[in-house]
Amino acid sequence: MDLGSVPLPTGGFTIGKKFDFEAGHRLPGLPPDHKCARQHGHSYEVEVVLTAPALEGPGFVTDFGALAPFKEFLDTQLDHRNLHEILPFEPTSERLAQFLAGWFIQNLQPSMPGRLAAVLVRETMSSWARFDVEGR
């Protein structure tokens, strides 16, 4: 088979990269008898999803190496911290996903070809929240 004869369909491209950090939190806005109102912790997994209508040389949406500052931010600012003490909002996974999307757009988006489409925050193997960036 001539592999050069395989037609390349039109469409967009999407990539994702996962990161992790450990942190504690509580949600003081919940009733005192709710388990999440008490101090507890998670092994958070954060996934960023980027899209592009075309690839940049040599064939990337965004070089995965360009995402290293995001991991550095997670490690230096959120890892092994009490999130309710450092974040300016009640640290639900939904709000954390939105916040991380905002940080990413403000700090990394201007210098990379791919566009952030979504941020997914997983606090357990079976529980996650996703923030989809509008217009992306």
Side-chain angles (χ1 to χ4, degrees):
M1 171 180 197
D2 175 16
L3 298 181
S5 68
V6 174
L8 298 177
T10 59
F13 299 90
T14 302
I15 64 168
K17 183 150 178 76
K18 291 181 181 179
F19 304 89
D20 56 53
F21 70 96
E22 307 287 331
H25 76 141
R26 61 184 175 82
L27 302 176
L30 291 172
D33 60 337
H34 192 289
K35 67 180 183 177
C36 292
R38 297 187 299 271
Q39 180 70 33
H40 63 285
H42 297 291
S43 295
Y44 286 97
E45 183 178 87
V46 176
E47 183 172 358
V48 294
V49 178
L50 291 91
T51 63
L55 299 176
E56 299 286 323
F60 294 151
V61 169
T62 295
D63 184 341
F64 287 118
L67 304 176
F70 185 70
K71 176 63 174 158
E72 182 179 342
F73 172 74
L74 295 174
D75 288 347
T76 61
Q77 301 299 312
L78 302 181
D79 189 48
H80 284 82
R81 309 236 186 219
N82 281 319
L83 299 181
H84 61 277
E85 293 176 357
I86 62 169
L87 294 173
F89 52 84
E90 198 154 351
T92 63
S93 291
E94 294 87 343
R95 288 183 174 151
L96 184 56
Q98 183 182 30
F99 170 78
L100 292 173
W103 187 93
F104 191 101
I105 291 167
Q106 179 181 16
N107 294 281
L108 296 181
Q109 192 71 81
S111 63
M112 64 179 50
R115 294 290 168 245
L116 185 68
V119 174
L120 186 140
V121 173
R122 181 179 303 279
E123 53 181 48
T124 70
M125 293 297 292
S126 60
S127 301
W128 56 268
R130 177 176 165 150
F131 179 78
D132 293 310
V133 180
E134 283 189 2
R136 304 275 167 172

